[in-house]
Amino acid sequence: MKTLTVALPGREYEIAIQRGLLSQAGERIRAVLPRARRLAVVTDTNVGPLYYNKVKASLERAGFELGLFPVPAGEKSKNAAQLSQLWEGFMEFGLTRTDGVVALGGGVVGDLAGFAAATILRGVAFVQIPTTLLAQVDSSVGGKVAVDLEHGKNLAGAFYQPRLVLMDPDALDTLPLPVFMDGMAEVVKYGCIRDPGFFEFLTARPSRPQLMADIEHILYTCCDIKREVVTEDELDTGLRMILNFGHTLGHAYELAGHYTEWSHGQAVAAGMCAAAKLGAALGVTPPEVPERIGDACASLGLPTAISCSIEDYAAAVGLDKKGAGTDITLILLDKLGHAVPHKLPKAQLMGLLDSRIL
């Protein structure tokens, strides 16, 4: 087993990575929640039929009384109405402040269940069991929980750290190939922003079988990078902003596709390629870097560019949480493996985007 500790004072938690860990969930959770009697398990209609019974058996062996709360699979479940249904369901189940919430699924389930846990009874314990690559390397670690609003994604949320994160690489075996590669966009991101050796490691393994042969190392490396960043900047006011490399423009691509045409990973891949080109145009990013990132994404079947109107760019930039007044902070690379915040006027960014350099 590979383990990492996210050492936030008073909110420390462990990330455990091991094949077969779903069958050990009960004993692991009991160790961190010794007083809990009930667990509300939030999952979705895709993951539940695959993995709930395995987790259920383990949790019941550990003495937990379980409530199952399935939500429809997909981004559309990450909304205020679904959040309210969870709150009411938790109360009907009899959840108390000494009990806990378990998120079994991908990023949508983790964000929704985490926000529900953060807000019900003013906060109950929360455990992440991510089952997608995207969730394992990104959304399950760091404590960002949220729901979407009509104006955009993740606009209502909180910072609420889990008590434990359990990652079973075996859960990735049932992912369709596009969903697996969707997660690889965030994996490539970690190499781009923090670890050039890891970037090289990934480019030498463009196929799913090659990646799965080293999946524990991949998960550990990504989580270790995120752990370091989150420990230094839990509330996303400084260093943690580098984790958003590719996301500012990626959100524009998601918006342009009405959050249905392009997945998050596809949008981030194209967003990283676009950010690299912008960085080169601004004289921040070395000129060879955009091609290298584009080649890495293309080898994984991820898009390197997505058509987007200047109106959608403007809407996404206006909603971006890294914006302040008339300025915005873009995350750019000053070399492959090192990200830097670069502040510029929003008008200048829009001018660059309108110049068709992408």
Side-chain angles (χ1 to χ4, degrees):
M1 177 181 293
K2 292 180 179 289
T3 61
L4 289 161
T5 299
V6 181
L8 293 165
R11 300 176 307 288
E12 298 89 351
Y13 62 93
E14 183 180 79
I15 304 166
I17 305 166
Q18 185 181 39
R19 291 183 181 273
L21 202 52
L22 290 178
S23 298
Q24 303 173 31
E27 62 187 90
R28 296 282 171 182
I29 296 174
R30 177 56 73 192
V32 299
L33 301 180
R35 298 172 56 206
R37 177 184 169 193
R38 295 184 176 94
L39 292 179
V41 181
V42 182
T43 189
D44 69 29
T45 50
N46 286 342
V47 175
L50 293 171
Y51 296 118
Y52 175 67
N53 284 338
K54 181 179 290 188
V55 173
K56 175 176 180 285
S58 178
L59 295 176
E60 288 181 339
R61 285 196 303 271
F64 292 111
E65 179 183 339
L66 304 181
L68 175 62
F69 297 86
V71 300
E75 185 75 27
K76 289 184 177 180
S77 286
K78 215 170 79 171
N79 59 58
Q82 193 70 63
L83 176 67
S84 180
Q85 288 183 34
L86 287 181
W87 286 334
E88 298 295 345
F90 291 170
M91 290 297 89
E92 186 174 345
F93 175 50
L95 202 72
T96 71
R97 294 193 71 184
T98 59
D99 295 323
V101 174
V102 175
L104 175 66
V108 169
V109 166
D111 280 359
L112 177 64
F115 194 26
T119 46
I120 195 72
L121 301 172
R122 299 186 178 89
V124 300
F126 169 48
V127 173
Q128 286 267 26
I129 307 181
T131 59
T132 66
L133 181 57
L134 185 62
Q136 289 183 352
V137 300
D138 187 58
S139 60
S140 68
V141 178
K144 280 188 177 181
V145 294
V147 295
D148 302 336
L149 302 181
E150 288 185 10
H151 283 83
K153 291 183 61 175
N154 300 323
L155 293 180
F159 291 95
Y160 194 67
Q161 302 297 336
R163 296 287 297 276
L164 177 68
V165 182
L166 300 175
M167 297 185 186
D168 187 341
D170 286 344
L172 304 180
D173 290 340
T174 54
L175 292 180
L177 181 61
V179 178
F180 180 86
M181 290 306 183
D182 199 46
M184 282 304 301
E186 295 282 358
V187 174
V188 170
K189 178 196 76 177
Y190 285 108
C192 289
I193 65 172
R194 199 79 168 177
D195 190 337
F198 186 52
F199 183 88
E200 300 293 348
F201 174 88
L202 295 171
T203 58
R205 294 161 175 79
S207 73
R208 180 174 181 166
Q210 289 171 312
L211 293 164
M212 283 301 295
D214 289 296
I215 194 63
E216 290 92 341
H217 171 69
I218 291 170
L219 296 178
Y220 182 92
T221 302
C222 294
C223 291
D224 193 31
I225 292 170
K226 188 161 189 181
R227 175 192 63 81
E228 290 178 352
V229 172
V230 169
T231 301
E232 182 171 331
D233 178 25
E234 180 183 5
L235 301 182
D236 202 9
T237 58
L239 178 65
R240 186 168 178 165
M241 293 171 71
I242 70 171
L243 297 173
N244 289 314
F245 176 61
H247 285 62
T248 298
L249 300 184
H251 290 157
Y253 303 142
E254 290 183 276
L255 178 64
H258 307 288
Y259 300 102
T260 56
E261 185 175 354
W262 302 104
S263 68
H264 178 70
Q266 289 172 323
V268 167
M272 291 190 294
C273 294
K277 291 177 183 177
L278 281 173
L282 289 164
V284 177
T285 303
E288 72 276 6
V289 169
E291 183 176 358
R292 297 202 62 199
I293 295 175
D295 288 346
C297 291
S299 71
L300 295 167
L302 293 165
T304 59
I306 290 175
S307 178
C308 185
S309 70
I310 196 67
E311 291 78 17
D312 284 328
Y313 276 131
V317 168
L319 290 171
D320 194 281
K321 294 180 283 295
K322 297 181 292 301
T326 60
D327 294 331
I328 189 166
T329 299
L330 280 184
I331 306 304
L332 303 176
L333 305 182
D334 60 0
K335 60 181 178 180
L336 189 60
H338 190 259
V340 292
H342 184 83
K343 189 175 182 179
L344 73 164
K346 291 178 181 178
Q348 182 184 358
L349 173 59
M350 296 311 301
L352 286 168
L353 294 172
D354 203 25
S355 70
R356 302 188 183 279
I357 65 168
L358 304 184

